[in-house]
Amino acid sequence: MDSWRKMKHSFSFCIFFVVLSHHGTKSFEQATAEGDIIIGGLFPIHESVNVTVNYDGSENQICDRFSTANLVQSLIMVQALEEINQKQELGNLTLGYLILDSCGDVTTSLRKIPSFMRGNCEYSEGEKSNTSAQQSSPVLAVIGGYYSEIAIAVTRLLNLEYIPEISYGATSGLLSDKTRFPSFMRTVPQDNHQARAISEILDNNGWTWVGVLTTDGEYARYITERLWYYTNQKGICFAFTSVLPDNLNDYLLGKSIESTVKTIIDNENVSVIVSFAKPDHMMYIFQKLLNDPQGTRRIWLASDIWSQSPEILNTKKHTLSDIGTIIGITFKSGNTTKLKRYLDDLDENPSHHNNNPFLKQHGSTSSEKLKTMIYPSAVFSIELAVKAIAQAVEDLCTERDCKTKRPSPLELRGALWKAKFHMDGKNYSFDPHGDLNTEYDIVLWKQTSESLDVNDIVARYSILQNSLTFISQETKHAFYIYIGNVTSRCTDSCQPGYSKISVSGQPRCCYQCEPCAENTFSNTTDSEKCNPCEKNYYSLKGSSKCLPRKTDFLKWGDVYLIVLLSFTSLGAVLTIVVGIIFLAHWNTPVVRSSVGPISIILLLSLMITFTSVILFGGPPNSYQCQARQVVFGLSFTLCVSCIMVKSFKIVLAFEFDPVIQSVLKKLYKPYLIIAVCMAGQVVIVTTWLIHSPPTADSEITQNNMKLMFCNEKLIPAFGAMLVYIGLLALICFGVAFKGRKLPDCYNDAKFITFAMLIYFISWIMFGPVYANVTGKYIPAVEMVVILISAYGILFCQFFTKCYIILCKKEANTEKSFRRDIRNYSRDHKGSEDELSGLPEVAHTCFKTTTLNPSPQEKPSHLPK
C-alpha cells in the first residue's frame, strides 16, 4: 500500500513537470555527456532574458548577454567529471552530465529544471511497470545555480524528488535553513561571513561613512542586511543605499543607474563604496562615472559577485585609475593549471565538444580567450562540488553494483551529508547547515599593460578566527601604499584629547568633537568618551593623557618655612639662654621676685611651644597632625597657667585688705592651680582625639596640584582648645591689670599685661586670616601666631629681668628693692609705718636663701 502511494505521488509530480516544461516553451539547448550516473549543471551562460509579447498574448523569451566567464565555469564542471572518469576514481562507473543555461532568470530556470527530473519520472514509472531500463538516466544531483534567488526557487522544485543541489555561488543565509531547504548544499561560505569580512576591512581602515550599492534580489538584500548589522556594531554608517533592479532587462534599470550615479557624485565625502550589484550593473555605473573628477580617489569594495569580472571596464579606452581602486572579496581560489590544459585541448580537438552547443554560441573556441575568463574561486568551488558528489557515489557503491542498481537521489543526498572529500591535500565536509566554511581571498585589482589583473591576492579572511591576515608584511605595505591615505568619514576624526558627541537628527557617524574636561582624557582617535584620570593624576582640558599630580605642602625648603623655623630656633635658643641666666642667678632678688620655680616651668613650656612649631612644617601625616595641636595646646596652656599663678602671687603680695589677703592665702596653691588648668585642656584634647582626631588629608587646587594638609575635622574641639587658652589668658590679663602700678621690683604685672595683649591681638587676627588663606601656607599662619605669642611672653616676662641681672646689677640688690617698696608705700599710704601692714610674703622680694640679712638690718616694723 505504501509503495503504491509512493508511486502515485511520483506519477503526480511527473505530470506537473511535463506541464511545466512544455508551457509556452520549446526544447532547450543543453550540453550532455552519457554516463552511469548523470550530474546536472545549471549555469547562467546568458545573464538575462529578453521577453516580448506577441499579438496573441504568447511570450517569446530570448536569453541574451552571453557570458564567456560563466561558460568557462560550466567547462570547469565538465573537466572535473572527465578527469574522474579518466582516472577511474569510481572504478568502472562513469559520470555523465546534463548542463542547462539558467539565463540568470528564475522563471527560465524553473521551466528548464524538469529536464533534470524527467528521467526520474521515467525511473519511477519504470518501477511501477517493473521495467528495469529506461533511455534516460536519472539526474541524481545538480551543481548550481549561481545566484541565490535562482537557487532558492530551484532547490524547492528539486526537493520534490529529493535531488540535492550543490551551489558554487549562492550565498544567501536563508539557504542555511535546512527546515526549508533540506536538499541544498554549497561549497562556498554564506554571506553572513562575507558581510563580516567587509566590515573588518572597513573598520581596519577607519572608513566609517560608506555608500552601498545593492539590488532587489535575494542575495543582495540578505548580505546588505548582514553588513548593516556588523557595521553598526563597529560605528560604521551607510551614507546612502542605492537599490538597483536585479533583472538586467528591467525597464527601470536605466533610471536607477542614473539616480545611483547622481547619488555617488553628490556625496563627495563618501570615498568608499561597497557594491553587491551584478557585473553588468557595475559596467553601466563605471561608464557614467568615467568623467567624474572625484572618481580617481574612490575605493570600491567588490563582493564575490563581481570581484573577478574584469570585463566590466573597457581597458581599450580607459584605465583602472579612471574609476579608482577596487578591492575584491572572493571565495577561496583553486588551482587553474588543469583547467588551462583542458581549454588548450579545445584548439586541438574541437570535435570533442560537439555535444556542447554553448561553445558554438561563443563563436570562437580559442583557448587563449577562454583562459582570460577563468575565475580561480570558481575553479575551487565547482571542482569541490564535483568531488563531493563523486565521494558520495563512491560511498554508496562500495557494497553494491551501481550499474544495475543505481542509487536514488534521496540516497545520494544522505551520502552527501556524511561524505568526507578532499582536494589539494585538504579534507572537507558539509556542516549541519550544508555549508563549507573555508575562507575568503582579498584581491586588489591592478592595471597591467594589456589588461586588468583581478587575481592578485593580498590577504585572507579566516571565517573560523574572524581575522584578516595579509599574505606578507611586504604585501601589506604595498597594499596601503596602493590605496593611499583615503578617508571616508562624515566628519573628521576626533583626535586624542577629544570625544565624539552625537548630533541630534544625524547618523551616529556624523558627530562633533568635544574636548575632554579637566581630569579626563582620551588617548585614541574617535574615542566614544573621555576616561577619568586615576587617583593622584590630573589632566587639563583637551588632554590625551594624565599627568602625575605634584604634591604640594609646606616643604622644608620653602623660604617662608625656613624663615619661620629660623625664628623658632632663635626662640628656643633664647629660652635656653634665659633659663641658664636664671639658674646662674637663682638667689638674686630679681629671680626670687619672679617666683623662680614657676619661671623655670614657664621657660620649659615655652621651649615645648617653640618645638611644636616644627610640627607644622613638612609633609603632613596623621600622627603629626594630631601631635602638633595637642603639643601646642597643652604647652601653651601650661605657659598661661604659670603666668596666671605669678599674677595671683603679685596681687596676693600687695593686697592691703586683711580679709581678702587671708582668703587669697588659702586659695593660693600654685602647683594645684597649674594642675587644674592643665586638666581642663587635657579633657578637651582627649575628647578631640577620641571622637574625631585630626588626620592628614588632601584636596585638588585650582592649578591641579594635590595639596596635603591636616584636617582638624572636629572644628568645635579645635575652637574649644583655643577658647580655653584664651579664657585663662583673659584671667591673667585681668589680675595683672589690677597690679600694673606695683613697685618696680614687682613690674611683672605690667609685662604680663603686655604679653596677654600681644596674645589677644595675634589670635584675634588669626581667625580671619586663617579663614581666608588657602593653599600650603595655611599652617604658616598658625606658626606665625604661635611664634608671636611665645615671643611676647619670652620678651615681656624675661628679657627685662635678664637685662637687670646682666646690665643693671645695682638694681638687683636688697637696697634697691627696699627703696622701691618704701616709695610705693609713701605714694599709697603716706608714711613708712604703714608698711608693717604688708603681708609677709611681700618681703620675698629682698630675701634670699643663701644670704640672710643681719637682725639689725631688718626694719623694726616688719613681723619677726
Side-chain angles (χ1 to χ4, degrees), residues 36-39 84 89-91 93-95 140-141 386-400 402-403 406-408 411-413 415-416 419:
D36 299 312
I37 302 293
I38 303 299
I39 308 300
I84 291 174
E89 294 181 10
L90 300 178
L93 200 64
T94 61
L95 299 178
L140 295 187
V386 174
K387 293 287 186 181
I389 294 173
Q391 185 63 52
V393 171
E394 182 180 356
D395 293 342
L396 288 172
C397 299
T398 53
E399 297 180 356
R400 72 179 181 183
C402 290
K403 278 184 171 290
R406 289 170 295 187
S408 67
E411 290 176 318
L412 183 64
R413 189 180 78 177
L416 280 169

Side-chain angles (χ1 to χ4, degrees), residues 652 655 657-668:
L652 177 63
E655 178 57 56
D657 189 332
V659 178
I660 298 177
Q661 187 269 339
S662 176
V663 174
L664 290 177
K665 283 182 64 176
K666 293 179 181 179
L667 295 177
Y668 182 71

Side-chain angles (χ1 to χ4, degrees), residues 52 87 93 95 142 248 331 338 344 372 750:
T52 59
K87 293 182 177 180
L93 200 64
L95 299 178
V142 174
L248 295 174
F331 303 125
K338 291 183 292 184
D344 287 336
T372 61
K750 296 178 182 179

Side-chain angles (χ1 to χ4, degrees), residues 59-345:
E59 293 182 352
N60 291 328
Q61 295 184 346
I62 301 175
C63 294
D64 55 9
R65 290 190 175 88
F66 185 89
S67 172
T68 304
N70 292 338
L71 171 63
V72 173
Q73 292 175 12
S74 69
L75 295 177
I76 295 172
M77 172 182 165
V78 173
Q79 181 270 326
L81 291 172
E82 290 185 1
E83 181 183 29
I84 291 174
N85 292 337
Q86 290 172 1
K87 293 182 177 180
Q88 294 185 338
E89 294 181 10
L90 300 178
N92 62 349
L93 200 64
T94 61
L95 299 178
Y97 58 83
L98 172 60
I99 296 176
L100 300 177
D101 181 6
S102 70
C103 299
D105 179 64
V106 174
T107 303
T108 303
S109 299
L110 290 176
R111 285 173 175 168
K112 293 183 178 182
I113 285 302
S115 297
F116 292 146
M117 308 176 73
R118 189 179 300 117
N120 286 325
C121 293
E122 294 170 358
Y123 184 63
S124 299
E125 292 171 5
E127 282 186 336
K128 183 177 179 181
S129 61
N130 293 322
T131 59
S132 60
Q134 301 295 334
Q135 282 188 329
S136 300
S137 299
V139 171
L140 295 187
V142 174
I143 295 177
Y146 179 70
Y147 299 117
S148 296
E149 193 141 1
I150 292 176
I152 288 173
V154 167
T155 191
R156 291 182 186 275
L157 192 55
L158 292 176
N159 190 53
L160 296 175
E161 284 293 321
Y162 311 110
I163 299 176
E165 176 187 9
I166 304 179
S167 175
Y168 63 95
T171 53
S172 173
L174 296 176
L175 289 164
S176 294
D177 185 353
K178 295 301 103 179
T179 303
R180 299 167 62 188
F181 308 103
S183 296
F184 180 82
M185 302 171 191
R186 53 187 160 198
T187 54
V188 291
Q190 66 132 308
D191 283 329
N192 181 67
H193 305 301
Q194 184 174 183
R196 192 160 64 169
I198 294 174
S199 70
E200 286 294 321
I201 295 174
L202 296 174
D203 187 49
N204 288 349
N205 291 278
W207 297 328
T208 59
W209 189 239
V210 299
V212 177
L213 303 185
T214 184
T215 71
D216 56 9
E218 184 58 48
Y219 157 80
R221 281 198 300 266
Y222 178 82
I223 194 171
T224 301
E225 185 274 328
R226 298 313 297 166
L227 179 64
W228 181 90
Y229 173 79
Y230 287 116
T231 54
N232 188 57
Q233 292 180 341
K234 298 179 179 295
I236 301 171
C237 305
F238 293 177
F240 61 84
T241 303
S242 294
V243 182
L244 301 169
D246 192 67
N247 187 346
L248 295 174
N249 284 322
D250 194 296
Y251 72 98
L252 293 176
L253 180 60
K255 290 184 178 180
S256 296
I257 295 293
E258 293 286 348
S259 175
T260 298
V261 170
K262 184 178 184 303
T263 300
I264 293 173
I265 294 175
D266 290 344
N267 286 270
E268 295 182 356
N269 59 341
V270 178
S271 301
V272 177
I273 299 175
V274 181
S275 174
F276 305 118
K278 291 181 177 180
D280 285 279
H281 290 133
M282 299 310 301
M283 180 178 64
Y284 299 145
I285 290 173
F286 286 157
Q287 288 173 355
K288 299 286 185 180
L289 290 173
L290 286 173
N291 297 323
D292 180 20
Q294 301 292 330
T296 57
R297 68 178 182 85
R298 289 194 185 94
I299 291 181
W300 300 84
L301 277 180
S303 69
D304 66 278
I305 201 170
W306 68 277
S307 59
Q308 290 184 313
S309 302
E311 68 275 10
I312 65 175
L313 187 64
N314 186 348
T315 55
K316 293 181 179 180
K317 296 182 179 180
H318 303 283
T319 63
L320 181 61
S321 60
D322 293 329
I323 59 172
T325 303
I326 298 179
I327 302 171
I329 314 294
T330 70
F331 303 125
K332 182 177 175 62
S333 298
N335 191 334
T336 62
T337 303
K338 291 183 292 184
L339 178 63
K340 289 179 179 178
R341 287 200 301 263
Y342 178 81
L343 294 178
D344 287 336
D345 187 58

Side-chain angles (χ1 to χ4, degrees), residues 46-58:
H46 292 83
E47 292 192 328
S48 65
V49 175
N50 187 13
V51 181
T52 59
V53 181
N54 299 322
Y55 291 108
D56 59 359
S58 62

